[in-house]
Amino acid sequence: MTGTGTETGKGPAAGTRRLTTAQALVRFLARQHTERDGVRQRLIPATWGIFGHGNVAGIGQALVQYADAMPFHQGRNEQAMVHAAVGFARQSGRLATHAVTTSIGPGATNLVTGAALATINHLPVLLLPGDVFAARPADPVLQQLQVPYAGDMSVNDCLRPVSRYFDRIGRPEQLIPAALEAMRVLADPVDTGAVTLALPQDVQAEAYDWPEEFFAERVWTVRRPRPDEGELAAAAQALRQARRPLLIAGGGVRHSAAEDALREFAEATGIPVASTQAGKGALPYDHPADVGGIGHTGTAPANELARAADLVIGVGTRYTDFTTASGTLFAAPDVRFLNVNIAAFDAHKQAALPLVADARAGLTALREAVRGVRADTAYVTTYTEDKERWERRVDACLTAEDDLVRPTQAQVLGALDALVTGEDILINAAGSLPGDLHKLWRTRSRDQYHVEYGYSCMGYEIPASLGVSLAAPGRPVWALVGDGTYLMMPTEIVTAVQENIPVKLVILQNHGYASIGGLSASVGAEGFATAYRYKDRVGTYTGAPLPVDLAANAASLGMEVHRAKTVRDLREALAAARAAERPTCVYVETETADTVSGPPPAQAWWDVPVAETADRPSAVRAREEYDRHVTARRRHL
């Protein structure tokens, strides 16, 4: 990467380099690295962008000038670019991410949803939205929001609550401390999330004499904190006393690359392992200790163990309501919690004994501290037999007896299950698919299962598949979406075609928001406005499904498309997509439009409040059912 003080027509002061703020930022980002366990990599290896008057002359010009040092990806939607960067970050183990640059106004506010997703899931992403003029030569400028009571506020302030770090660079020299702090947060395993540096468009283009030290190569160590000896002793004592222990593997297991430590712990102790959506894959599905997903979308074996457990060992989990079945799952009177978590905030949840540590370091230390302790043989035999019975139920859901019929959603997963290896990566986020995947999918490798369920954001899957593919080149990457999710954000299909990223898109057409339709029916809302059907003259959604052809839409955006009408067609289409070297879509209409999937029903409750007063019978019945469940809620103190 080259550059001298003459780039802007002025000589630099001694020991400095005269560059614009945007040029300095790009040069700085290109020199940042992370290191964990002796492995070093670029922290920001690429930038996504859509250009407008708020960033084209600043960041845009800098990216052109330093194209050899900072690769660029052109996006179509600002939210989607964040999803792509987040997909890259998760696949990279949070050790690398991408930057995202936008114009001011709508370009900047389109970042908010993606930023919230990143921060909720503890995944790093660097956001560089343009901002209004710092010098205010004209007020307002195009796309500026004027706030009568705060002259220093812009729409970018919407990003404050969804960012782990936010700063507005009002003068060039402010970039130095802000950029360093931004890198610290991105590389911090506790604090990481969305980081926003709002860049006024005039400041981006302003020159400054930057100290050469600012552009020195920096390495940010990603720490592995070890547990406190006192906490470790208390945790070991609790585990020795347990008779019905259950370990819940959360996303922290995967973020810290603790899968081997978890396997060694489970094999040494015989303790069964259930997983959250973020933790699924921490053990492969066929490991003897793996009992499947936990909570509302979990398996029967895992949830039965949870109801009877006297010690719940949460490793890297936040205990969301889906995991705890809204506080009704852990029912044993004597249940206690032990939480291994790098964040003290999460380690103390459920009134737990905290073991504040990196997941890998914590599990390794705990295994050594309880050496020789094993779960009772009868306990192991019971959960092993329960798991075998559940697998037979899964087989029945995934298998189609007739190849010439339209598949159910579960049978679509079955056809994919029969095709993939541990090399394949599956991406999903919203609709009925996360529940089916959590219950039914047989994860073969530690990074095969990529379901974003912290924010469960419709539209995440397609752009995230681009980021995952960039982080794992050569591996088959599948984006699984329903028709509702597809309609939210198909735009990055064009990016995949433009950059020849060979993602595999599977569109499951069930003519509406099937997941919410089922929920609506269960809470007395009668499925209102959840199906894609014509509206009659009195405003009722009735009649045949809308004649919307999503396969034709995907083809029009440049994808190779395979239509599958039967189970046999589906198998052939999926095989063709897996072998394809260009972006490819499999389109399948599932059976039936009035059911979601046909897998086993929810094995645990989820709290969605039902109308307390209603005159329609469906709502009255739903409230009665709600009142029955809510009495089981418990606060663990």
Side-chain angles (χ1 to χ4, degrees):
M1 184 165 60
T2 61
T4 68
T6 60
E7 289 171 311
T8 56
K10 292 184 179 180
T16 65
R17 183 177 296 264
R18 190 164 185 82
L19 302 171
T20 69
T21 303
Q23 292 162 359
L25 177 58
V26 172
R27 285 182 62 90
F28 171 85
L29 294 178
R31 303 286 286 170
Q32 308 303 304
H33 298 76
T34 59
E35 184 173 271
R36 186 175 69 181
D37 304 328
V39 178
R40 182 178 299 186
Q41 59 186 286
R42 280 271 298 268
L43 175 54
I44 311 289
T47 296
W48 291 83
I50 297 175
F51 293 107
H53 69 95
N55 64 342
V56 65
I59 294 291
Q61 186 279 329
L63 288 169
V64 172
Q65 183 162 317
Y66 298 126
D68 59 331
M70 181 59 69
F72 178 77
H73 303 295
Q74 182 181 29
R76 268 73 196 175
N77 176 284
E78 291 86 359
Q79 177 183 322
M81 294 193 298
V82 185
H83 293 335
V86 167
F88 181 91
R90 175 168 169 170
Q91 187 62 32
S92 301
R94 304 196 304 181
L95 301 175
T97 187
H98 287 160
V100 178
T101 179
T102 73
S103 183
I104 73 170
T109 52
N110 281 350
L111 296 172
V112 173
T113 297
L117 181 148
T119 297
I120 286 171
N121 285 285
H122 300 293
L123 292 168
V125 64
L126 177 61
L127 308 181
L128 305 174
D131 212 329
V132 297
F133 286 79
R136 304 182 193 176
D139 198 29
V141 297
L142 178 65
Q143 299 178 323
Q144 178 180 344
L145 171 71
Q146 283 191 296
V147 181
Y149 61 85
D152 63 345
M153 187 176 292
S154 79
V155 295
N156 285 356
D157 289 275
C158 294
L159 288 158
R160 287 181 183 271
V162 293
S163 297
R164 293 295 291 177
Y165 178 76
F166 178 99
D167 203 352
R168 179 177 282 111
I169 310 304
R171 289 289 309 146
E173 56 267 35
Q174 293 174 0
L175 178 65
I176 295 175
L180 293 170
E181 186 66 8
M183 298 304 104
R184 181 198 67 77
V185 173
L186 289 172
D188 191 300
V190 176
D191 283 347
T192 197
V195 168
T196 301
L197 296 180
L199 301 169
Q201 53 185 308
D202 52 345
V203 178
Q204 288 182 45
E206 186 175 346
Y208 180 72
D209 290 345
W210 303 90
E212 288 287 356
E213 293 83 358
F214 184 57
F215 307 116
E217 183 174 287
R218 294 178 188 272
V219 179
W220 302 86
T221 300
V222 180
R223 300 181 299 278
R224 286 195 181 278
R226 287 167 172 73
D228 172 79
E229 291 299 323
E231 289 186 352
L232 180 61
Q237 180 65 16
L239 204 152
R240 291 190 193 97
Q241 295 173 346
R243 295 295 174 265
R244 303 178 305 280
L246 172 67
L247 189 147
I248 298 176
V253 174
R254 295 183 58 184
H255 294 329
S256 65
E259 293 91 349
D260 289 341
L262 174 63
R263 175 183 50 78
E264 292 165 0
F265 180 87
E267 291 172 356
T269 63
I271 294 174
V273 176
S275 57
T276 68
Q277 287 279 15
K280 188 174 172 75
L283 288 181
Y285 83 96
D286 55 357
H287 190 281
D290 182 73
V291 293
I294 190 78
H296 178 64
T297 54
T299 68
N303 286 339
E304 286 306 309
L305 287 167
R307 292 184 179 98
D310 62 352
L311 180 67
V312 177
I313 308 164
V315 183
T317 179
R318 299 185 296 130
Y319 288 106
T320 67
D321 61 343
F322 261 59
T323 297
T324 67
S326 299
T328 65
L329 185 57
F330 307 110
D334 59 342
V335 65
R336 299 176 67 195
F337 294 82
L338 163 62
N339 292 339
V340 182
N341 205 296
I342 198 168
F345 175 76
D346 290 317
H348 283 83
K349 288 180 177 176
Q350 308 292 95
L353 284 171
L355 191 63
V356 180
D358 166 80
R360 192 173 86 177
L363 283 169
T364 300
L366 189 58
R367 176 171 58 83
E368 290 297 319
V370 297
R371 184 179 292 274
V373 174
R374 279 195 63 83
D376 183 76
T377 301
Y379 183 60
V380 175
T381 299
T382 297
Y383 76 68
T384 299
E385 292 174 349
D386 287 347
K387 176 180 176 177
E388 291 171 353
R389 282 190 290 271
W390 179 260
E391 287 300 323
R392 290 194 289 272
R393 293 182 71 182
V394 172
D395 284 336
C397 293
L398 299 182
T399 304
E401 296 181 0
D402 186 347
D403 281 1
L404 301 179
V405 299
R406 179 186 294 175
T408 66
Q409 181 166 289
Q411 289 165 357
V412 173
L413 298 182
L416 194 56
D417 174 81
L419 176 68
V420 303
T421 70
E423 184 183 22
D424 296 67
I425 302 170
L426 273 66
I427 302 173
N428 185 240
S432 56
L433 276 165
D436 287 2
L437 288 163
H438 201 203
K439 286 193 199 79
L440 304 177
W441 186 257
R442 290 165 166 163
T443 310
R444 293 161 172 79
S445 61
R446 62 185 63 190
D447 63 351
Q448 180 179 77
Y449 190 86
H450 184 130
V451 173
E452 185 285 300
Y453 217 57
Y455 209 42
S456 188
C457 184
M458 296 178 72
Y460 172 81
E461 296 91 339
I462 296 174
S465 72
L466 306 189
V468 171
S469 294
L470 291 170
R475 295 179 62 180
V477 177
W478 301 84
L480 309 182
V481 301
D483 51 301
T485 290
Y486 178 84
L487 288 169
M488 286 278 183
M489 197 170 292
T491 53
E492 301 317 300
I493 288 175
V494 178
T495 302
V497 171
Q498 179 182 29
E499 303 209 7
N500 196 29
I501 302 174
V503 295
K504 293 91 173 60
L505 171 63
V506 180
I507 303 174
L508 295 90
Q509 171 65 275
N510 53 30
H511 301 287
Y513 302 118
S515 174
I516 294 302
L519 177 62
S520 174
S522 72
V523 298
E526 303 177 28
F528 177 70
T530 58
Y532 295 156
R533 298 180 183 273
Y534 289 102
K535 181 186 287 188
D536 64 19
R537 292 182 179 179
V538 296
T540 302
Y541 297 93
T542 60
L546 299 177
V548 177
D549 191 340
L550 301 184
N553 179 261
S556 75
L557 297 177
M559 273 197 147
E560 177 182 327
V561 175
H562 300 270
R563 296 176 184 262
K565 294 184 178 181
T566 67
V567 174
R568 179 184 296 175
D569 294 342
L570 176 64
R571 293 196 185 106
E572 294 173 355
L574 291 172
R578 191 174 190 275
E581 297 181 356
R582 56 168 296 194
T584 305
C585 170
V586 174
Y587 173 87
V588 56
E589 189 166 353
T590 54
E591 183 70 41
T592 69
D594 297 322
T595 60
V596 175
S597 59
Q603 304 296 302
W605 186 58
W606 181 43
D607 188 354
V608 177
V610 177
E612 192 168 357
T613 60
D615 55 11
R616 295 180 71 86
S618 60
V620 173
R621 290 192 298 270
R623 182 66 195 197
E624 291 171 351
E625 182 72 5
Y626 178 83
D627 289 338
R628 183 178 69 82
H629 281 291
V630 79
T631 57
R633 179 182 287 130
R634 177 180 174 189
R635 293 191 183 276
H636 296 282
L637 302 172

